[in-house]
Amino acid sequence: MKARTVTVPVLARIEGEAGLRVRLAGGRVTNAELRVFEPPRFFEAFLRGRRFDETPDIVARICGICPVAHQLTAILALERACGVQVDPGIRQLRRLIYLGEWIESHALHIYLLHAPDFVNAPDAIAIAGSHRELVERALRLKQIGNEIVTVVGGREIHPINLKVGGFYRLPDLTRLSALAEPLRWAVDAALDTVRWTTTLPFPDFEQQYELVSLRPHDEYPLMEGRIISNAGLDIQASEYEEIFEEEHVKHSNALRSARQHQPYMVGPIARLALNFDRLSSRARTAAEEAGLPAGCTNPFRSIIVRAIELLQACEDALALLSQYEPPHAASIAVAPRAARAGAVSEAPRGLLYHRYTLDSRGLLLDAKIVPPTAQNQKMMERDLANFVALHQELPDDQLTWRCEQAMRNYDPCISCATHFLKLQVQRT
Amino acid sequence: MKTLYIGIGNQFRRDDGAALALASRLRALNDPGLTVIEATDDVIRLVDLWGAYDNVVVADAVVTGEAAGTLHRRSPLECPLARHWFGASSHQLGVVEAIELGRAMNRLPARMTFVGIEARDFGEGQGLTPEVERALDIATEVIKAEVHACPVQ
């Protein structure tokens, strides 16, 4: 059989710059690469020597879609290092702004980035012409997420109100209350979103994954809990680096994560499968109606899972508004000490790990940041290889189109993934 | 007819703040027929504004290869803006997408003008290069003419 190569030089509708290449020879996939060529960004390097309390505003710049995830994960790690615990009201506000980011990010990906794959449209603009009501719904949902981030964080992208110890200023109660009505609409819109995603056509592609996510005590995962997997993993955040390793491969400017050299999956599919019993009753019913009671093992159906999480996020945000009790102060004082600590949280795309080492003056000696896309990268490549092996009868254009979709299933954020520290240059 | 001016950019990246500096000048005119806003965050939200005004002027820094300070006046209603004029953003949908989404959804205003301000320096810091700063004098007159072309009724 003739050798065949599927190449997508630049993937569209993802955050960041990457391409893919799959090689087939003799009916076998010999190589599948997610080629990340976005330049490395060296965040971990230039955090060294900065004051610990500068960190949240620096790491926000890793990503324009999930700055809150980076800010809060850094804050959680630094507060752990400094041995402080914040008031419940601060925790509520943190959850609220994080959920706002989930709503923004999931609405953007479901409707404007991922949906075109299922309705044979090149992009969201084409969908706006043929399915105007979907784009109207997407923009309003996204705007509600933006508004939450703005009210709590001061502005909608790269918020400026989060700090180690709490917030610079507590949000205005009237503006917080005003979020309830749009959120009530958003709950219904998210439910409609779940129902709409279940009508989409999906290719057959059931896979076996090791799924990894946080598992909190009594709520859907966001900022707390142990790290668990469906393969029996059950660890604390502080053990993260003992279990997961990072590797550098020639074709990628992002480090790839692995567990015992094997790929694993983080993100909505993992969270839902491992925390199905933590869903609200409405989200659980929606998941069951969508045919996902035992989780989802077809990554193309991740759009449904993301819609269920959108519903969960809207409901959780609405509940937080009614439960919110302002803390006595916007923040607590945090005195630095020589320490090293890590924290994990669930960014919209999956598990996010930050770890910092401080000296006694509060200067950062080192930093390690492992975003979800870097953790998924190896699994994305395995999906590519498996999909092409199963569907090699497809003509080149259709196979290429499906391979692109297989990457967008993960909502990859390449800009997050290329934050890393080391770049090896070999000269001969 | 009320006119909306939207200045897009980042005031902390030199010439990328040109349309924001223009917004300050226009606001200082205190013209009752002109509403001025700055868009420094999520430009896609502008889709909601297109339909709320009859006349919209959008300005942003562009790079087309012309001399710094060159002004480019375009009518997005007649022809989509060139994507390559704008810096690539891997994270956000930009002004071109916001306009094209508005077009697909029949939300664009009756009259729409884009003013591109040719930029040179996108380095860190505030302040415009002298050529760009001078161009704002003409840009202000261009937009005043737009407002007067559509007097408040």
Side-chain angles (χ1 to χ4, degrees):
Chain A
M1 189 179 286
K2 202 174 82 174
R4 188 176 172 198
T5 303
V6 175
T7 307
V8 178
V10 182
L11 280 166
R13 283 184 276 123
I14 63 167
E15 280 79 50
E17 297 161 18
L20 60 88
R21 185 168 71 184
V22 186
R23 284 185 176 153
L24 274 159
R28 286 182 55 246
V29 175
T30 56
N31 188 261
E33 294 175 347
L34 176 63
R35 303 165 73 87
V36 176
F37 48 79
E38 178 154 328
R41 300 170 67 211
F42 305 113
F43 268 84
E44 289 156 334
F46 63 70
L47 279 165
R48 286 181 181 167
R50 305 302 297 237
R51 284 201 343 249
F52 77 106
D53 51 0
E54 293 180 289
T55 311
D57 291 320
I58 294 174
V59 297
R61 296 290 168 161
I62 292 174
C63 185
I65 300 288
C66 55
V68 174
H70 284 289
Q71 288 184 300
L72 282 176
T73 312
I75 286 169
L76 293 172
L78 292 164
E79 288 175 354
R80 193 165 290 160
C82 298
V84 299
Q85 270 200 316
V86 297
D87 293 343
I90 298 288
R91 178 182 177 274
Q92 287 178 315
L93 286 175
R94 286 177 173 173
R95 280 183 60 78
L96 183 61
I97 191 172
Y98 210 152
L99 292 168
E101 182 165 276
W102 272 41
I103 294 168
E104 278 178 12
S105 179
H106 278 5
L108 173 74
H109 190 259
I110 291 168
Y111 284 108
L112 302 183
L113 303 179
H114 208 187
D117 285 342
F118 302 101
V119 296
N120 283 326
D123 54 30
I125 293 165
I127 291 187
S130 58
H131 301 77
R132 176 177 168 164
E133 71 289 353
L134 295 181
V135 177
E136 300 264 12
R137 189 192 293 156
L139 293 176
R140 189 161 172 206
L141 278 165
K142 186 173 183 309
Q143 189 52 38
I144 289 168
N146 284 9
E147 188 61 19
I148 295 172
V149 175
T150 303
V151 170
V152 181
R155 63 183 183 189
E156 58 196 15
I157 298 174
H158 302 133
I160 46 173
N161 194 29
L162 290 85
K163 63 184 285 195
V164 182
F167 292 87
Y168 288 98
R169 191 168 69 177
L170 291 176
D172 178 78
L173 285 176
T174 309
R175 291 186 71 194
L176 270 180
S177 303
L179 295 170
E181 191 182 333
L183 271 170
R184 276 191 280 275
W185 175 87
V187 168
D188 291 338
L191 195 53
D192 289 341
T193 303
V194 178
R195 289 174 180 148
W196 172 72
T197 57
T198 59
T199 67
L200 300 173
F202 301 104
D204 290 333
F205 190 58
E206 299 299 329
Q207 296 292 291
Q208 296 286 321
Y209 296 114
E210 178 169 9
L211 305 170
V212 177
S213 92
L214 280 177
R215 168 86 175 162
H217 181 60
D218 59 358
E219 58 197 7
Y220 200 71
L222 198 60
M223 294 189 297
E224 285 113 5
R226 293 176 66 80
I227 303 169
I228 67 164
S229 86
N230 57 342
L233 182 73
D234 187 352
I235 59 167
Q236 299 181 59
S238 57
E239 299 170 278
Y240 179 91
E241 289 177 59
E242 296 167 28
I243 301 297
F244 301 103
E245 66 260 23
E246 291 183 295
E247 59 187 27
H248 183 236
V249 287
K250 196 175 177 182
H251 60 265
S252 172
N253 281 346
L255 295 174
R256 295 190 317 190
S257 294
R259 182 185 172 208
Q260 294 170 335
H261 307 292
Q262 296 301 309
Y264 61 96
M265 178 194 274
V266 300
I269 285 178
R271 283 192 294 253
L272 187 86
L274 300 174
N275 295 278
F276 195 84
D277 57 341
R278 300 292 192 257
L279 288 172
S280 69
S281 61
R282 196 189 317 225
R284 197 178 314 160
T285 303
E288 286 165 353
E289 286 175 1
L292 301 173
C296 170
T297 51
N298 180 345
F300 288 89
R301 287 158 70 92
S302 63
I303 191 169
I304 307 176
V305 181
R306 220 167 259 113
I308 292 164
E309 286 200 331
L310 177 66
L311 173 59
Q312 179 73 32
C314 292
E315 286 199 283
D316 280 350
L318 195 53
L320 272 169
L321 285 179
S322 64
Q323 297 157 3
Y324 174 60
E325 291 186 18
H328 297 301
S331 65
I332 57 169
V334 180
R337 63 183 184 185
R340 170 188 162 112
V344 288
S345 77
E346 287 286 353
R349 291 161 185 78
L351 201 71
L352 170 62
Y353 176 72
H354 280 227
R355 187 259 297 150
Y356 300 96
T357 307
L358 315 185
D359 69 11
S360 58
R361 298 167 297 168
L363 298 182
L364 296 185
L365 298 177
D366 73 2
K368 183 180 178 73
I369 300 168
V370 189
T373 296
Q375 297 182 73
N376 279 334
Q377 191 180 338
K378 202 172 170 98
M379 190 62 87
M380 292 162 75
E381 292 177 327
R382 199 185 79 177
D383 275 7
L384 260 185
N386 288 349
F387 188 85
V388 171
L390 271 175
H391 295 279
Q392 53 187 288
E393 79 287 353
L394 290 174
D396 277 1
D397 58 340
Q398 287 182 36
L399 189 58
T400 303
W401 174 240
R402 283 297 194 192
C403 285
E404 283 194 63
Q405 290 183 24
M407 298 298 92
R408 284 191 288 268
N409 290 336
Y410 286 81
D411 187 9
C413 183
I414 304 302
S415 302
C416 279
T418 53
H419 69 284
F420 80 113
L421 175 60
K422 288 175 187 158
L423 177 69
Q424 289 185 335
V425 180
Q426 289 189 337
R427 299 181 196 277
T428 56
Chain B
M1 188 183 277
K2 184 116 173 152
T3 300
L4 171 68
Y5 169 84
I6 303 168
I8 298 172
N10 181 347
Q11 62 175 318
F12 301 109
R13 298 303 292 261
R14 301 285 179 193
D15 292 344
D16 199 18
L20 305 178
L22 183 55
S24 300
R25 291 186 181 210
L26 294 169
R27 188 173 282 119
L29 297 174
N30 284 320
D31 189 324
L34 178 65
T35 301
V36 176
I37 68 167
E38 290 93 351
T40 57
D41 274 353
D42 193 356
V43 174
I44 204 69
R45 70 189 167 88
L46 298 182
V47 176
D48 288 330
L49 291 175
W50 299 148
Y53 289 79
D54 299 313
N55 184 26
V56 176
V57 180
V58 187
D60 196 359
V62 298
V63 177
T64 74
E66 296 287 335
T70 304
L71 295 178
H72 307 266
R73 190 174 185 278
R74 294 288 184 275
S75 172
L77 295 182
E78 292 167 17
C79 183
L81 299 177
R83 275 195 171 81
H84 65 269
W85 277 15
F86 304 89
S89 169
S90 56
H91 274 68
Q92 301 295 336
L93 300 170
V95 63
V96 177
E97 288 77 16
I99 292 172
E100 293 313 309
L101 273 177
R103 190 193 313 277
M105 296 161 76
N106 292 321
R107 279 201 192 178
L108 293 184
R111 188 178 170 97
M112 190 175 206
T113 306
F114 176 80
V115 177
I117 306 163
E118 189 79 27
R120 184 171 62 203
D121 182 359
F122 289 92
E124 289 179 17
Q126 292 179 278
L128 308 175
T129 53
E131 298 94 324
V132 174
E133 184 78 48
R134 281 196 294 276
L136 298 191
D137 295 339
I138 302 169
T140 303
E141 295 306 314
V142 167
I143 291 161
K144 277 164 69 176
E146 271 301 317
V147 178
H148 295 141
C150 305
V152 182
Q153 291 170 351

